[in-house]
Amino acid sequence: AGADQRFSVAVAAFGQKLRDEDQTANFGYDRIAEIADAARGADPFGYRAEFLSLVRLASSLDGSK
């Protein structure tokens, strides 16, 4: 899959993780950040970097660790 598609998967997984969906029960924030970082590609406006910051912030605020 291309970088845009892989990044989209990370964004979708993040949304599901925030909603505490069953589909992402074994899918942690670290894995989401790993996929997004590997698929970052061109980021001329910094939106993908900002997304990674949000994933890290959510991970730090997650009390279920």
Side-chain angles (χ1 to χ4, degrees), residues 27-35 55 59 65:
F27 209 72
Y29 289 111
D30 293 338
R31 180 69 178 130
I32 293 169
E34 181 181 311
I35 292 169
V55 173
S59 176
K65 290 185 178 182

Side-chain angles (χ1 to χ4, degrees), residues 10-37:
V11 172
F14 182 60
Q16 289 180 334
K17 184 74 176 168
L18 289 175
R19 293 179 58 143
D20 201 23
E21 297 283 336
D22 291 339
Q23 294 86 349
T24 59
N26 296 323
F27 209 72
Y29 289 111
D30 293 338
R31 180 69 178 130
I32 293 169
E34 181 181 311
I35 292 169
D37 193 38

Side-chain angles (χ1 to χ4, degrees), residues 36-51:
D37 193 38
R40 184 185 268 181
D43 190 15
F45 301 107
Y47 296 137
R48 292 179 182 207
E50 182 67 24
F51 172 74

